[in-house]
Amino acid sequence: MKTARILLIAPIFFAVLFLCTFGGVKAQSDWDITLRPAINFPTEGIADSKLSMGFGLGFGGAFSYKFTPQFSAVIGWGWNGFATDESFAGPKVDFTETGYSLGLRFTHPFILDSAYTLFIGVGAVAGHIEAENSEGLIIADSKFGMGWQIESGMNFGVGRHFVLSPGINYHALSRGITIDNTTTIVNFNYFSVGVGLSWAF
């Protein structure tokens, strides 16, 4: 998990550095692909488990199409995980969620005709949750189920084809995980803070 933390946090640092250096140019396109590393903050313990880190890590990608100047359809994929000291699944278990999302995003200039825009979005999530022991073996896997998410943030154009998007996302998914014939409801409810890097084309 320490290596994963470095791999996911480092891109956020370099994205912010890139923004401070090159920000302020408006991107021109209706299609884009986005990569987004993030740090996740749970709103509760995972099935009353004690979180060992106090936060989790995530990574995702999305493809969007702007069908009007202000509205975009967004489809994405994501991986998000949390580590626990003690849980119903045993000690030192990592819980990870993998899933897909489909949503709608509204974007509006921060200042008229500015390269900086504000966005807000809402969407549905289809995901499943895995429990992985300290040896890296998957000991349980829930079935796919539906959840939801909302997001908000800003876009900074850094050329005709690139956009940086710092933002915050609230994500909610509840699934049942069965261990030794006992099913426990796991709530993956958390705030996600990250910086997306988009390539517009």
Side-chain angles (χ1 to χ4, degrees), residues 49-53 83-87 90-93:
S49 300
K50 182 180 179 181
L51 297 175
S52 62
M53 294 190 301
T84 61
D85 286 331
E86 297 291 339
S87 74
K92 302 297 182 181
V93 171

Side-chain angles (χ1 to χ4, degrees), residues 158-180:
V158 290
R160 290 185 60 84
H161 296 287
F162 292 97
V163 177
L164 286 174
S165 304
I168 185 169
N169 173 302
Y170 179 75
H171 183 100
L173 176 70
S174 295
R175 303 303 302 143
I177 289 184
T178 302
I179 302 287
D180 296 330

Side-chain angles (χ1 to χ4, degrees), residues 2 8 14 17 20 27 43 102 108 122 130 135 139-141 144 152 161 179:
K2 290 183 179 179
L8 292 173
F14 287 111
L17 180 63
C20 293
T43 59
L102 178 64
H108 193 274
V122 61
E130 295 177 335
E135 297 177 352
I139 57 177
D141 184 356
F144 272 85
S152 181
H161 296 287
I179 302 287

Side-chain angles (χ1 to χ4, degrees), residues 1-11 57:
M1 290 297 291
K2 290 183 179 179
T3 302
R5 281 187 238 181
I6 295 172
L7 291 176
L8 292 173
I9 293 174
L57 298 173

